[in-house]
Amino acid sequence: MGTEMRMEADEPDAGTPRLEVGAGLEGVLRRTYGGRLEGVLRALTRPPSEYAIRVNTLKTTAERVAEEFGAMGVRCGRSAILEEAVVIYPGEPRAVERRGKMVVVDKFAAESVMLGSKLYEPGILRSERVAPGDEVFMADPRGHIVGTGIARFSSARRHTAGIAVDTRESVYSLPPVRESRLFGDGEIQEQSLPAMVTSRVLDPQPSDVVVDLCAAPGNKCTHVAQIQGDRGLIYAFEHSPKRLRRMRGEIRRLGIRSIRTAQRDSRYIDRDFPELRADRVLVDPPCTALGVRPKLYEEAAPSEVESCAAYQKQFLRVAARIVKKGGTVVYSTCTLPAEEDEAVVGYALDELGLELDRQSPAVGGPGIGGGRLGAAQRFDPDVSDTPGYFIAKFVRP
Ligand SMILES: C[S@@+](CC[C@H](N)C(=O)[O-])C[C@H]1O[C@@H](n2cnc3c(N)ncnc32)[C@H](O)[C@@H]1O
C-alpha cells in the first residue's frame, strides 16, 4: 500500500450554511486556515459524501458485508482507499418540518438524529407532554429541527437509558447500522476513514507489542488487532471506568483475544509499569473534536484548545519513554487547530527527541507549515471528503 492517494471534496457551494462558532474560536481557526476558513466552516455543516464502516476481517470480508447491506436495500460500496472498509451514502440534506410535539435534545443527540439515528433517553433535555405513540419532532437547543418520529417514552416517567424516539424522518438518512445483524455479530464497526488510516499508518506487525494510551471505545486498538490477525499483544489503557466497560464490550462483540485492557491514567504508565517496552505506541488523546462532521454549531472555547494541547503533550512524553529504540509512535486527533496538531508535533520533535516518519497510506494533505511537517497527514474538511483529522508518525531514533 505505498501509493499516494488523495480524496478530494467537491467545493461546498455558496448556498451551504456556514457553521456557527464563537468569535474566539473563529480567531483560533483563522490562525490555522487564513482565507480558507469560510470553506472549512461550510464543509463542517455537511457529512462526507461517504460514511465509512470497518469490516472485521477476522470474521468476514468487505465483499460479503457490501452484499448483505445491498440485500437490505442500503446504498453501499467498497472503499477505494482501504480494503477493509465499505461506505454507505448519507444522501443530500432534506428540510424536516415540525410535526407533532416538540422534544429538545442535546447537541450530541441532535447530530446523531440528524444522520438518521434513533433518539436515546439520555439525549433528551426537555419536551412537551409526550406519551408513547405520539408523533414528535426533535430540535437542538438552538432550535434546528433534526428529525421527526414516534415516541417510545413518556414525559411523565422518564428513564435513564433506552430508545426514546423511533426516528422516521431526518436531515440525512443513514440506515440503522447498529441494529443490523452484521453489527450484532461483530462483523462491522462504525469508524471514519481517517481513523482507519491511523491504525494502518501505525503498521503493526503480527508479533508486535502495541500500547494504546487512550484506548476507549476501542476503535483503533481493535483495528490494530485485526491488522495483526489477532496474533500480537496489545495493552489498551483507558482512564474512564465507564468508557473502559464499553470498550470491553466492543472487544467481546468483535471477538478479539489479543487485547489486554486496564484502567489507568496513562500519563503515568512509565511509572506504573517500569518494565513496559513497546514496538508501537498509539496516542489518540482527548481533543476538541472540531473535525467531526456534520456539526449543527460549535461551542468550544479557545481555552479548550490550549488545555487539550497541554494534555496531549503529556501522553506523547510517556509514549517517547516506553517505545523501544527504532520503534514507532503514532499521534492522531479528530480536530483542526494547528495548536493541537502541528504544534504538538513540534514539541515531540524538539523536546522528546522523536523524529517524523513517512506515512503510508498517504490519503490526506501535508501538515501546515511545510518543511519537516510535510510528513504529517492532515485531513481538512474543505479539501478532503472525510471528517477533519490529523496523523503524525514518529520513530524513536
Ligand atoms: C479520542 S478518545 C480515544 C478514542 C480511541 N482511541 C478509539 O479509537 O476508539 C480519548 C480517550 O482518552 C481517554 N483519556 C482521557 N484522559 C486519559 C488519561 N489520563 N489516561 C488514559 N486515558 C485517558 C478518554 O476517556 C477517551 O476515552
Side-chain angles (χ1 to χ4, degrees):
M1 197 145 353
T3 49
E4 295 273 323
M5 291 177 282
R6 296 293 306 273
M7 292 189 77
E8 300 291 331
D10 289 337
E11 177 71 8
D13 60 58
T16 306
R18 176 192 202 272
L19 185 71
E20 301 166 31
V21 289
L25 184 65
E26 183 160 337
V28 169
L29 288 170
R30 199 169 289 285
R31 280 204 295 276
T32 297
Y33 287 112
R36 285 173 55 198
L37 183 59
E38 289 304 311
V40 171
L41 293 179
R42 285 211 304 271
L44 286 172
T45 64
R46 302 194 59 159
S49 65
E50 295 182 343
Y51 181 84
I53 290 180
R54 190 181 95 224
V55 174
N56 181 2
T57 50
L58 297 170
K59 292 194 173 188
T60 186
T61 62
E63 197 178 356
R64 272 191 258 158
V65 169
E67 261 172 33
E68 189 161 335
F69 270 133
M72 289 158 58
V74 173
R75 278 208 322 122
C76 144
R78 300 279 303 274
S79 161
I81 308 234
L82 293 179
E83 62 192 9
E84 65 270 50
V86 296
V87 293
I88 49 185
Y89 306 103
E92 287 301 308
R94 284 183 309 233
V96 180
E97 305 291 325
R98 58 170 61 213
R99 191 172 303 141
K101 297 176 177 165
M102 180 169 71
V103 181
V104 180
V105 305
D106 65 31
K107 178 176 179 278
F108 178 77
E111 286 171 350
S112 301
V113 169
M114 179 184 188
L115 285 169
S117 293
K118 295 180 191 255
L119 174 67
Y120 289 82
E121 290 254 5
I124 301 177
L125 294 176
R126 57 184 187 279
S127 74
E128 293 184 284
R129 192 182 293 238
V130 170
D134 283 352
E135 189 166 46
V136 297
F137 70 94
M138 295 163 276
D140 76 8
R142 294 191 179 182
H144 304 111
I145 300 175
V146 289
T148 64
I150 303 298
R152 284 202 201 179
F153 78 104
S154 158
S155 50
R157 254 182 310 107
R158 288 274 305 277
H159 301 285
T160 52
I163 296 169
V165 176
D166 286 310
T167 303
R168 290 280 160 89
E169 240 192 318
S170 50
V171 178
Y172 297 95
S173 44
L174 284 176
V177 170
R178 283 173 176 262
E179 285 149 40
S180 66
R181 182 208 69 77
L182 290 162
F183 186 85
D185 289 348
E187 295 183 13
I188 55 170
Q189 179 72 5
E190 290 173 291
Q191 192 177 25
S192 76
L193 188 104
M196 288 185 231
V197 168
T198 306
S199 308
R200 280 275 164 207
V201 164
L202 186 70
D203 194 23
Q205 302 302 304
S207 59
D208 278 348
V209 173
V210 178
V211 172
D212 184 348
L213 289 175
C214 300
N219 289 325
K220 294 196 182 67
C221 67
T222 54
H223 189 199
V224 169
Q226 188 177 311
I227 297 168
Q228 291 181 306
D230 210 14
R231 281 176 288 153
L233 177 57
I234 302 168
Y235 293 105
F237 297 113
E238 168 58 44
H239 199 217
S240 151
K242 192 171 161 202
R243 290 175 67 90
L244 179 71
R245 275 197 299 280
R246 183 168 157 214
M247 173 166 70
R248 287 180 172 151
E250 289 296 89
I251 292 169
R252 269 196 303 278
R253 182 178 63 82
L254 294 163
I256 288 166
R257 297 167 178 276
S258 58
I259 302 178
R260 309 279 171 272
T261 62
Q263 197 234 326
R264 281 289 187 289
D265 184 335
S266 296
R267 293 172 299 167
Y268 309 105
I269 285 298
D270 53 329
R271 198 188 62 188
D272 291 356
F273 300 97
E275 308 295 319
L276 181 62
R277 289 290 169 273
D279 298 290
R280 295 176 203 253
V281 184
L282 189 56
V283 180
D284 184 38
C287 68
T288 48
L290 299 179
V292 175
R293 55 192 281 212
K295 282 185 191 297
L296 286 155
Y297 53 89
E298 182 53 62
E299 289 180 310
S303 59
E304 289 169 56
V305 174
E306 274 169 45
S307 57
C308 277
Y311 202 44
Q312 289 152 356
K313 289 175 187 165
Q314 299 182 53
F315 296 103
L316 271 175
R317 192 165 59 221
V318 169
R321 285 186 186 146
I322 62 171
V323 72
K324 291 177 184 168
K325 247 177 179 298
T328 298
V329 176
V330 167
Y331 173 75
S332 59
T333 75
C334 57
T335 202
L336 309 173
E339 287 83 346
E340 293 182 65
D341 295 333
E342 284 84 352
V344 175
V345 169
Y347 164 82
L349 300 178
D350 298 337
E351 309 285 332
L352 304 177
L354 295 176
E355 290 176 0
L356 272 177
D357 202 0
R358 238 186 122 249
Q359 299 185 30
S360 175
V363 186
I368 286 175
R372 58 189 187 170
L373 292 167
Q377 188 164 195
R378 192 174 243 284
F379 296 77
D380 289 318
D382 59 334
V383 292
S384 284
D385 188 14
T386 67
Y389 224 83
F390 180 86
I391 308 169
K393 180 178 189 180
F394 302 97
V395 62
R396 184 184 155 196

